[in-house]
Amino acid sequence: MFQYRQVLVRLRAGDSEREIARSGVMGREKLAAFRALASRSGWLEAEASLPDDATIAAALGAARRARSTVSSVEPHRAIVSRWLDAGVGGKAIHAASFASTAPRAWRRWRCSRSNARCCARCRRSLRIWRAGIDCHVQFERVLYSAPFALAGKVLGLRATDAAVALYEDFRHVATHPRGRRPGERVTLRDHLPPHAQAFFAHVFTTCANLTQSLNAARATGAYERKLAALARVPLLIIDDFGLKPLRPPADEDLHDLIAERYEQTATIVTSNLDFPEWDRAFPANRLLASATLDRLRHNAYCMVLDGNSYRAPKMAPTSSKRAVAVPAKPSHP
């Protein structure tokens, strides 16, 4: 109660709520509520004595408890106590308590695809992400993802102040952190379908940035870990290959990466050079260039894109009006 007594002394001294809040003793909303309570109780009068801690605690009342700390079977405490005294097992009590408190503790939602016909309540309770490929459960205007395999099934939802848990036939499926913003999507990548997981797992980078990141990892002693992480990427897209010549150790780093990914994962390389000219990107080591390009060319598709550049300059619009020269005004000394 020290902070309440300190705030009360400062209020009686004439300090404003803004000044007290800036000192960090108490927030503005809490301070405004306490000021109204002190005004009703007559504690702000200069002639009145300061109340003791017991009086302040009694006026404030019991602190508000978070919903996560209140048991869902609290209304049935008496009957649960009788069952315990009678020797009923914990599992039986839990099953009976869950059945009696399901409307309070749980929310049951039906998950369906976007092209299925369902009732208005079902459409309000579930939102389908990406045209029904991935399903989300809506709870208090926040969308929480469920595993894609559970689309079309009835799920149980239990929410606390900090987390939201999803269940299927009383089996725990997933737990999400509680969303705060209306319309927020809380999605786990593991809940996406396989092709969507592969899409979001791709890495796009330029050849220069790729070699620079590997060189930086070597300087910090994390080269092997960085190389292994890039080798496991399902799809690696390397842009602007050959735009800058690869000098040691960048050429060796690129060769090691291509060798690790060879016949294991997919790699896309884009370049403005014709394929016979790709060896020019390795000016210091032609043998290394041959070994790297052989691995890239094996079982690969070569796509040549021809056409006008999207970066072509645009012509300024011509005006039909003729320009008229205006003579300069003579300057007077």
Side-chain angles (χ1 to χ4, degrees):
M1 294 298 168
F2 174 76
Q3 62 173 342
Y4 290 100
R5 295 176 62 85
Q6 183 180 2
V7 168
L8 192 57
V9 170
R10 295 186 62 174
L11 288 175
R12 295 176 67 166
D15 292 353
S16 64
E17 296 181 6
R18 184 184 298 273
E19 295 173 347
I20 299 175
R22 284 179 177 176
S23 64
V25 179
M26 189 177 295
R28 293 288 298 274
E29 296 182 1
K30 187 177 181 180
L31 180 59
F34 181 68
R35 184 189 185 99
L37 175 63
S39 179
R40 293 194 302 268
S41 303
W43 298 340
L44 299 181
E45 300 295 334
E47 297 80 8
S49 59
L50 289 175
D52 53 7
D53 293 347
T55 304
I56 296 177
L60 292 174
R64 186 183 70 87
R65 295 177 59 186
R67 288 183 294 176
S68 57
T69 62
V70 180
S71 175
S72 58
V73 295
E74 182 66 29
H76 307 277
R77 176 181 291 274
I79 188 172
V80 171
S81 300
R82 291 200 303 269
W83 288 343
L84 288 175
D85 296 338
V88 181
K91 291 185 177 180
I93 294 178
H94 177 268
S97 301
F98 175 81
S100 61
T101 61
R104 294 174 177 267
W106 293 71
R107 306 288 180 90
R108 298 180 67 83
W109 309 96
R110 177 169 297 277
C111 177
S112 62
R113 297 186 181 274
S114 61
N115 56 359
R117 293 183 179 180
C118 56
C119 61
R121 179 179 180 274
C122 174
R123 289 194 296 269
R124 289 194 303 268
S125 61
L126 178 76
R127 298 293 177 87
I128 302 299
W129 187 54
R130 290 188 180 273
I133 296 178
D134 184 33
C135 73
H136 283 67
V137 175
Q138 181 180 358
F139 176 70
E140 294 186 355
R141 296 190 296 175
V142 179
L143 302 174
Y144 302 94
S145 66
F148 175 70
L150 298 180
K153 296 185 179 181
V154 176
L155 302 179
L157 184 147
R158 191 173 189 179
T160 64
D161 289 342
V164 171
L166 300 179
Y167 297 83
E168 180 200 11
D169 294 334
F170 311 112
R171 178 180 62 87
H172 179 261
V173 173
T175 299
H176 299 279
R178 186 69 178 267
R180 302 302 177 188
R181 301 186 303 273
E184 180 181 359
R185 292 177 180 266
V186 184
T187 306
L188 297 180
R189 181 171 293 181
D190 294 340
H191 293 171
L192 300 176
H195 63 276
Q197 294 185 29
F199 173 79
F200 286 109
H202 80 275
V203 173
F204 177 87
T205 181
T206 62
C207 186
N209 292 338
L210 178 64
T211 55
Q212 288 175 6
S213 64
L214 289 172
N215 192 26
R218 178 185 290 104
T220 59
Y223 175 79
E224 297 296 335
R225 186 166 62 251
K226 180 68 173 179
L227 182 64
L230 290 173
R232 291 193 302 266
V233 173
L235 175 60
L236 177 63
I237 305 174
I238 304 176
D239 192 21
D240 290 338
F241 175 78
L243 188 62
K244 298 179 180 179
L246 295 173
R247 306 292 182 182
D251 52 356
E252 299 178 4
D253 294 343
L254 182 62
H255 171 75
D256 293 342
L257 178 60
I258 297 301
E260 290 291 331
R261 297 180 58 85
Y262 175 60
E263 292 188 336
Q264 301 296 325
T265 50
T267 305
I268 298 178
V269 181
T270 66
S271 176
N272 288 333
L273 299 175
D274 292 334
F275 188 78
E277 301 174 345
W278 280 23
D279 57 346
R280 299 180 183 177
F282 300 83
N285 195 331
R286 296 292 181 175
L287 181 61
L288 192 64
S290 177
T292 305
L293 296 180
D294 283 345
R295 288 168 173 80
L296 283 175
R297 180 172 52 188
H298 185 226
N299 292 332
Y301 295 92
C302 183
M303 299 179 61
V304 179
L305 303 181
D306 192 9
N308 297 328
S309 174
Y310 286 101
R311 300 186 180 95
K314 297 181 179 180
M315 300 300 296
T318 57
S319 177
S320 59
K321 296 182 179 180
R322 302 176 62 181
V324 178
V326 179
K329 294 182 179 180
S331 58
H332 300 281

